[in-house]
Amino acid sequence: MKRIFTYLLFSLFICSQAYPNNKKVTSVPFEMAGSYVVIKLTINNSTPLSMILDTGVKNTIINELMEGDDVPLNKTTTDSTLIQGLGNNQGLRAYRSYKNDLKIGNLIFNNKVVLLLPENIFNFTNYTGKKINGILGSDILKDYVVEINYTKLRVYFYNSDTFVVPGKYSSIPATVVNNKMYVDALYTGADSVPRNVRMLVDTGAELGSWLFNSSISSMPKKKVYGYIGEGLSGEIKGYYARSVQLCLGPHCIANPVVTFPDSAYTRGLEQETSRDGTLGNQTLKRFNCIIDFKTPAFYLKPNLMFKDKFRYNVAGIEILREMPHFYITRVYKVWKNSPADVMGVREGDLILEVNGMKAFQMNVSEIRDIFETSRRFPMHIVIQRGNDVIDLDLNMNSKI
């Protein structure tokens, strides 16, 4: 008995010494809006703001202020600056404000640049049906080790000088360039040949992953052309297809839905960067992630969502919720040749019912969940166009 007691004490001592200094500097809850990680913060003692944590963008961007929002930004440059990203436009203009203090939990980030967009181009609030003021950039990550725990819906900040990696986390080769993290992955496409790809870690991308066409030898035969999202340089369209496998270290995801942006929306970017694509939040949320910009290092541990099936917008309907009460669901975009397009759904139509349920009684995630679920039986929707109320049945058989 004495030996057992001594062994237990020794084991406890070893465990307590394994990660002795991983004391949290702060811990903050977050909310999932679709696949977005939404964190509350203040800027210069402002009213609370809801921001998407976006590791694919360097600086914090305020996209939309609403009634009751009060943000006392420090002196803002009168000349706008051009910021660019994916999309087929020239980029967008933003006003730059310097030396701002961002407070997240009990942690204050001093002297941060904040960009203010003169117009609301992202429509995050209408797209998600939840208040979102903009994007929280990756420059808040550089001084700490940051864990995004999708299981507990919390973000943890640790002291980077004393951090020790917890057990069961796998290390993924990573580099940091201009405050953005890139990791190595193994992609297996339609030709069943594994390829090493360099991917941007982008928690602000609401997709599984995307790849430049030049990074693969051939696109899968089964594919769907549709709307991918909004980049800093405008909307992005491209192909959705299922690939054989995507591996991050020892963790391999079977049959992921991968998007391939149309080259018209990536022209120039493909030549300017050495990356092959992006890991979006529909992939990242399947892990609890630890990001260390200083080392640099990226660590993953699969969570309960790891084996969830990847889906895409089978119906081909993009929706927005209209302010201020979010009762009205309007068709924002219709994918060409999609079931919605075939049945005559148009941009601007109001959605009244989905499968017998009143749209105003459903949140955006519930409606999108139905649109993204392949089924043998048609999806019934009721739309209003002007004074006309129209019943439609959409074929929801997946094409990929």
Side-chain angles (χ1 to χ4, degrees):
M1 178 63 71
K2 186 175 180 180
R3 283 185 179 179
I4 295 174
F5 181 73
T6 302
Y7 175 78
L8 287 174
L9 283 177
F10 180 74
S11 299
L12 289 171
F13 174 77
I14 292 296
C15 291
S16 68
Q17 294 299 306
Y19 317 111
N21 298 315
N22 284 353
K23 293 183 179 179
K24 303 177 186 70
V25 178
T26 195
S27 163
V28 294
F30 66 83
E31 182 182 12
M32 295 294 291
S35 293
Y36 293 128
V37 173
V38 180
I39 294 176
K40 289 197 178 296
L41 56 85
T42 60
I43 301 176
N44 303 329
N45 296 314
S46 69
T47 53
L49 303 174
S50 297
M51 309 287 276
I52 294 171
L53 178 61
D54 190 343
T55 57
V57 173
K58 180 179 178 181
N59 298 123
T60 292
I61 300 174
I62 295 178
N63 179 66
E64 181 178 6
L65 294 176
M66 302 164 203
E67 186 177 351
D69 290 333
D70 181 18
V71 186
L73 291 177
N74 287 333
K75 185 177 180 180
T76 304
T77 55
T78 55
D79 293 331
S80 59
T81 182
L82 183 68
I83 54 178
Q84 294 177 296
L86 287 179
N88 60 356
N89 297 330
Q90 296 301 312
L92 58 92
R93 291 283 173 180
Y95 296 100
R96 191 182 297 267
S97 175
Y98 299 90
K99 298 183 178 180
N100 296 284
D101 296 334
L102 279 61
K103 185 176 182 182
I104 302 173
N106 59 11
L107 195 59
I108 297 177
F109 301 85
N110 301 114
N111 300 318
K112 296 301 179 184
V113 170
V114 175
L115 301 177
L116 179 64
L117 300 186
E119 58 180 308
N120 180 12
I121 65 160
F122 294 123
N123 284 314
F124 288 132
T125 297
N126 300 86
Y127 182 77
T128 63
K130 298 180 180 181
K131 175 188 172 181
I132 296 178
N133 297 102
I135 293 168
L136 178 61
S138 64
D139 63 345
I140 63 132
L141 305 179
K142 63 182 182 181
D143 296 324
Y144 298 92
V145 174
V146 179
E147 176 187 355
I148 304 175
N149 192 308
Y150 292 92
T151 304
K152 297 181 179 179
L153 297 180
R154 298 193 76 86
V155 176
Y156 301 101
F157 291 82
Y158 299 97
N159 187 317
S160 60
D161 295 329
T162 57
F163 183 79
V164 178
V165 184
K168 298 184 180 180
Y169 275 82
S170 302
S171 177
I172 312 299
T175 56
V176 171
V177 179
N178 194 27
N179 250 59
K180 296 179 182 180
M181 178 168 283
Y182 300 86
V183 297
D184 295 335
L186 195 64
Y187 165 79
T188 305
D191 58 1
S192 298
V193 176
R195 285 178 173 78
N196 292 309
V197 289
R198 187 172 185 247
M199 308 287 277
L200 171 69
V201 177
D202 190 355
T203 58
E206 200 186 28
L207 45 74
S209 59
W210 66 257
L211 287 165
F212 290 124
N213 289 335
S214 60
S215 301
I216 59 173
S217 62
S218 61
M219 195 178 299
K221 291 182 180 179
K222 290 185 177 182
K223 54 186 180 293
V224 173
Y225 192 82
Y227 173 77
I228 295 176
E230 295 291 332
L232 290 174
S233 296
E235 74 169 10
I236 309 161
K237 293 182 180 179
Y239 289 97
Y240 289 74
R242 289 196 183 275
S243 297
V244 175
Q245 189 171 254
L246 181 67
C247 296
L248 294 165
H251 310 297
C252 292
I253 301 170
N255 301 315
V257 172
V258 178
T259 58
F260 303 91
D262 192 312
S263 59
Y265 301 92
T266 61
R267 190 175 293 118
L269 181 63
E270 197 164 350
Q271 286 74 38
E272 294 170 8
T273 180
S274 60
R275 67 164 155 156
D276 298 292
T278 288
L279 286 176
N281 224 30
Q282 289 187 26
T283 294
L284 296 172
K285 72 178 183 180
R286 297 162 189 271
F287 303 88
N288 292 336
C289 309
I290 296 176
I291 301 172
D292 180 357
F293 270 64
K294 277 191 173 180
T295 301
F298 186 61
Y299 306 100
L300 295 175
K301 182 174 74 171
N303 58 35
L304 294 175
M305 292 182 280
F306 179 73
K307 293 185 178 180
D308 286 355
K309 186 177 179 180
F310 277 85
R311 302 186 302 180
Y312 77 101
N313 190 341
V314 179
I317 303 174
E318 301 291 342
I319 59 173
L320 293 178
R321 272 284 166 87
E322 294 194 351
M323 294 281 285
H325 303 298
F326 301 116
Y327 294 143
I328 297 175
T329 305
R330 191 176 296 276
V331 176
Y332 172 52
K333 292 182 184 295
V334 178
W335 293 18
K336 188 176 181 180
N337 298 323
S338 67
D341 186 33
V342 170
M343 293 305 298
V345 178
R346 300 177 189 170
E347 294 180 10
D349 288 345
L350 300 181
I351 297 180
L352 304 181
E353 293 183 18
V354 181
N355 279 349
M357 294 176 283
K358 301 295 184 183
F360 75 88
Q361 295 178 328
M362 306 168 71
N363 62 41
V364 170
S365 294
E366 289 171 333
I367 295 174
R368 289 206 176 101
D369 183 65
I370 296 174
F371 289 173
E372 294 175 358
T373 302
S374 175
R375 57 177 66 80
R376 289 171 20 188
F377 303 103
M379 178 185 72
H380 183 73
I381 63 171
V382 180
I383 62 173
Q384 181 176 336
R385 183 179 304 148
N387 294 324
D388 297 327
V389 175
I390 306 169
D391 287 69
L392 297 172
D393 289 314
L394 275 60
N395 184 341
M396 293 295 288
N397 288 318
S398 176
K399 295 181 181 179
I400 61 174

